[in-house]
Amino acid sequence: MKCRMMKESFNIEKAIRLVSSPKTGGIVIFLGKVRNESHGRNVRMLIYEAYEEMAVAEMERIRKEALEKFPIEDMVIWHRYGELRVGEDTILVVASGKHRKEAFEACKWAVDEVKRRVPVWKKEVTDEGTFWIEGERHIKAE
Amino acid sequence: MKCRMMKESFNIEKAIRLVSSPKTGGIVIFLGKVRNESHGRNVRMLIYEAYEEMAVAEMERIRKEALEKFPIEDMVIWHRYGELRVGEDTILVVASGKHRKEAFEACKWAVDEVKRRVPVWKKEVTDEGTFWIEGERHIKAE
Amino acid sequence: MRIRVRYFARFRSLVGTGEEELDVPEGITVGALLNILKERHPELKSEVFAQNEDADVNVSKNGRYVSFDEPLSEGDIVALFPPVSGG
Amino acid sequence: MRIRVRYFARFRSLVGTGEEELDVPEGITVGALLNILKERHPELKSEVFAQNEDADVNVSKNGRYVSFDEPLSEGDIVALFPPVSGG
C-alpha cells in the first residue's frame, strides 16, 4: 500500500522496496519526527487525529499529482496517527527517480502538500498544557 | 562513524539513529542506486574504485562544511565501493534538522559535493563493453 | 433530504459530537448548510467560516474538499474541520 | 628528496601501477612533478593536465586537493586521478 494512515511505526526498508525498480537511480526520503520543542514550549507528546478515509484519499491524490507533475518513477506517502512520543516518526514520503533532481523536487513538494491538504490534526501535549495546532495557529485545548 | 567508505550494504535505520536527537523534526535522506541503463547502454554492474583514505577525509570535510553552511543538526555520508549489481545501493546521505527546509537543502548540497569532490570512480560494465566514467565523459576501458 | 455531518479535531470538541444526521432542503449548498449548523450549534458562531486565508474551516463532501457553493444530495457526508496540521 | 606518487582509476591502468616512489628536486611544485611524470610515463602525455574545466587530472597532496603551484616536501604522497564519478 503506497498511501497509508497507520498506528505502527514505519518500516523504511519496506517503503524503499515499494518504490524501487531496476530503473531507479535515486531515492529521496523525508521522515518527520516528534521533536521536544514547539514555539518555545517543551513538548511531551503529540496526539494526531485524522479523518482517516479522506486522509488516505487525499494522499492518493497527492501521489497521483506528483507522478504527473514530476518525471519520477514512484512515490510512497505514509502518515501515523494516535499518541506519538518525542523521537517517534510521524510522516514518511519516499520518491524514486532515474535521477536525483526530480526525486528531491517531488519529495519536497509532496511533503508540503500533505501538510497543507491531508486532514490530520496535531494536539501538542506540553509542560504548559495541551494545544490544538491549526495551520499556524495554536489554540489551547480544555 | 558518520562518514564511511564500505563494501557492505547500508543499514539505513542505523544511519537515521546516528543523526537523530530529541530536537530532530525532519530527516532527509538520499539513497543512490545502480540503475540498469546509462546513456542508452544496458548496465550489468558497476565497479567503484576509491582512494579510500582521501575519500573518507573529503566526506568528513563535506559534512563539516554542511554543518557550518546550513542550520542542520547532523549528517551522515556513506559510500559503497567494489562490485555493485543493478538495484544495489551506492551512496547514502542523511541530514537531520529541526525543520525540513534546511534538511532538504543540506542533503541535496552534500550529494552534489560528494559527486564533485570525493575520489571515487565508476566503471560501468555494459552489454557494449566496459566504460570508465570520468565526470561527464565515458571512456572505453580495455 | 437526509445528509450526514462529521466534525473533526477542535470542532468535534466544540460541538460535542463527531457525527450527526440532518434533514435539509433538497439541493441545499454547503454555504447554506453552514448557516444551519451555526444556528444549531451556537458554539460554532465565533468560528470564521469563509473561503479565504483567514478562514478556519475546511469543508469536504464525500472525502473531497468542496467550495461553499457546492450543492448537496441525499446521503452526502459533509465534514467540517479546522486547518490541518499533519506532517 | 623522496616522495610517493599514487595513481587511481584509468590512470592506474595507463601507468600500469598504483604507486611508485620518486627522487625529486627539493621544493619542487606539483606542476613540475607532473612534467617529470609525463616524461617518465609517455602514456600520460595525451592527458590534459590543466587547472580548468577541460582538465582531466586531479591532484591531491596527502589526501587534499592542491593546485599546480603547491610545493612538495620529503615524504609527501601525491595522487593523480581523473575527474571523479562517485554517487
Side-chain angles (χ1 to χ4, degrees):
Chain A
M1 297 262 291
K2 289 175 182 168
C3 294
R4 287 180 65 190
M5 291 296 303
M6 57 211 278
K7 289 216 157 173
E8 66 273 26
S9 59
F10 301 138
N11 180 334
I12 296 173
E13 296 285 355
K14 189 177 168 185
I16 291 171
R17 278 197 301 278
L18 278 176
V19 301
S20 296
S21 86
K23 290 182 191 166
T24 310
I27 293 177
V28 175
I29 302 169
F30 177 76
L31 177 66
K33 280 179 172 285
V34 180
R35 61 197 187 91
N36 63 3
E37 186 269 333
S38 172
H39 296 76
R41 298 190 194 98
N42 191 38
V43 173
R44 295 177 189 171
M45 177 171 71
L46 294 186
I47 304 169
Y48 279 102
E49 175 175 334
Y51 178 2
E52 197 176 339
E53 310 90 288
M54 179 173 165
V56 173
E58 197 66 23
M59 293 192 296
E60 280 166 355
R61 287 190 280 266
I62 291 168
R63 176 174 174 274
K64 193 163 166 284
E65 289 169 33
L67 293 173
E68 285 163 0
K69 202 174 164 71
F70 302 94
I72 56 169
E73 299 236 287
D74 210 341
M75 179 173 276
V76 152
I77 306 176
W78 290 349
H79 201 298
R80 291 179 73 193
Y81 64 100
E83 297 189 357
L84 299 175
R85 311 259 150 199
V86 171
E88 285 199 78
D89 300 338
T90 60
I91 179 180
L92 182 73
V93 175
V94 185
S96 63
K98 285 190 185 171
H99 305 286
R100 69 189 181 286
K101 186 171 175 290
E102 55 254 31
F104 267 107
E105 286 171 358
C107 182
K108 194 166 191 303
W109 178 86
V111 176
D112 289 344
E113 291 299 301
V114 169
K115 287 181 183 257
R116 209 169 62 77
R117 291 163 52 179
V118 175
V120 174
W121 303 271
K122 188 151 60 179
K123 220 195 254 179
E124 289 181 350
V125 183
T126 79
D127 290 352
E128 296 161 47
T130 299
F131 296 82
W132 279 111
I133 313 302
E134 301 186 355
E136 293 304 303
R137 294 167 62 200
H138 291 221
I139 299 170
K140 188 121 183 175
E142 291 77 66
Chain B
M1 300 263 289
K2 289 174 182 168
C3 293
R4 288 180 65 190
M5 291 295 303
M6 57 212 278
K7 290 216 159 175
E8 66 272 27
S9 58
F10 301 137
N11 179 334
I12 295 173
E13 296 284 355
K14 188 176 169 187
I16 291 171
R17 278 196 302 277
L18 279 176
V19 301
S20 296
S21 86
K23 289 181 191 163
T24 309
I27 294 177
V28 175
I29 302 167
F30 177 76
L31 175 66
K33 282 180 171 283
V34 180
R35 61 197 185 91
N36 63 3
E37 185 270 332
S38 174
H39 296 76
R41 296 191 195 96
N42 192 38
V43 173
R44 296 177 190 172
M45 177 170 71
L46 294 186
I47 304 169
Y48 279 103
E49 174 173 335
Y51 178 2
E52 195 174 340
E53 311 90 289
M54 178 171 167
V56 173
E58 197 66 24
M59 291 193 296
E60 279 165 356
R61 287 190 280 268
I62 292 168
R63 177 174 173 274
K64 192 162 166 286
E65 290 169 34
L67 293 172
E68 286 163 0
K69 202 174 164 71
F70 303 94
I72 56 168
E73 300 236 287
D74 210 341
M75 181 174 274
V76 153
I77 306 176
W78 290 349
H79 202 299
R80 292 179 73 193
Y81 65 100
E83 297 190 357
L84 300 175
R85 309 258 151 199
V86 171
E88 283 200 80
D89 301 338
T90 59
I91 180 180
L92 182 72
V93 175
V94 185
S96 63
K98 285 189 185 170
H99 304 286
R100 68 188 182 284
K101 186 172 174 290
E102 54 255 31
F104 267 107
E105 285 170 1
C107 181
K108 194 166 191 305
W109 179 85
V111 175
D112 288 344
E113 291 300 300
V114 169
K115 287 179 182 258
R116 208 170 61 79
R117 292 161 53 179
V118 175
V120 175
W121 304 271
K122 189 152 60 180
K123 219 196 252 179
E124 289 180 350
V125 183
T126 78
D127 290 351
E128 297 161 48
T130 299
F131 297 82
W132 280 111
I133 313 302
E134 302 186 354
E136 293 304 305
R137 294 168 60 201
H138 292 220
I139 300 171
K140 187 121 186 176
E142 290 79 66
Chain C
M1 64 184 192
R2 206 154 178 80
I3 60 159
R4 260 163 72 200
V5 181
R6 298 186 66 179
Y7 302 96
F8 288 95
R10 191 169 53 81
F11 288 4
R12 187 171 47 80
S13 313
L14 273 179
V15 171
T17 183
E19 186 166 343
E20 59 186 347
E21 296 216 349
L22 246 79
D23 280 311
V24 293
E26 205 71 35
I28 191 178
T29 64
V30 162
L33 173 67
L34 290 179
N35 290 333
I36 292 174
L37 295 174
K38 280 211 174 186
E39 289 305 316
R40 191 177 164 93
H41 303 289
E43 56 279 14
L44 287 176
K45 282 202 171 152
S46 59
E47 301 298 318
V48 184
F49 285 6
Q51 297 184 83
N52 57 41
E53 288 296 307
D54 298 330
D56 52 12
V57 68
N58 283 301
V59 185
S60 70
K61 184 181 91 170
N62 304 329
R64 264 182 191 274
Y65 286 103
V66 287
S67 65
F68 285 13
D69 54 10
E70 177 81 8
L72 300 175
S73 310
E74 170 77 27
D76 278 346
I77 300 170
V78 175
L80 262 68
F81 48 81
V84 305
S85 54
Chain D
M1 65 182 193
R2 206 155 177 79
I3 60 161
R4 260 165 70 200
V5 180
R6 298 186 67 179
Y7 302 96
F8 289 94
R10 191 170 53 83
F11 287 4
R12 187 171 48 80
S13 311
L14 272 179
V15 172
T17 182
E19 187 167 340
E20 59 186 348
E21 295 216 349
L22 247 79
D23 280 312
V24 293
E26 205 72 36
I28 190 180
T29 62
V30 162
L33 173 67
L34 290 179
N35 290 332
I36 293 173
L37 295 174
K38 279 210 173 187
E39 289 306 316
R40 190 178 167 91
H41 303 289
E43 55 277 16
L44 288 176
K45 280 202 171 152
S46 59
E47 301 297 317
V48 183
F49 285 6
Q51 297 183 84
N52 58 40
E53 288 296 307
D54 298 331
D56 53 15
V57 69
N58 283 302
V59 185
S60 70
K61 184 181 90 170
N62 303 330
R64 262 181 193 275
Y65 285 103
V66 287
S67 65
F68 285 13
D69 53 10
E70 178 82 6
L72 299 176
S73 310
E74 171 76 27
D76 278 345
I77 299 169
V78 175
L80 263 66
F81 47 83
V84 305
S85 54

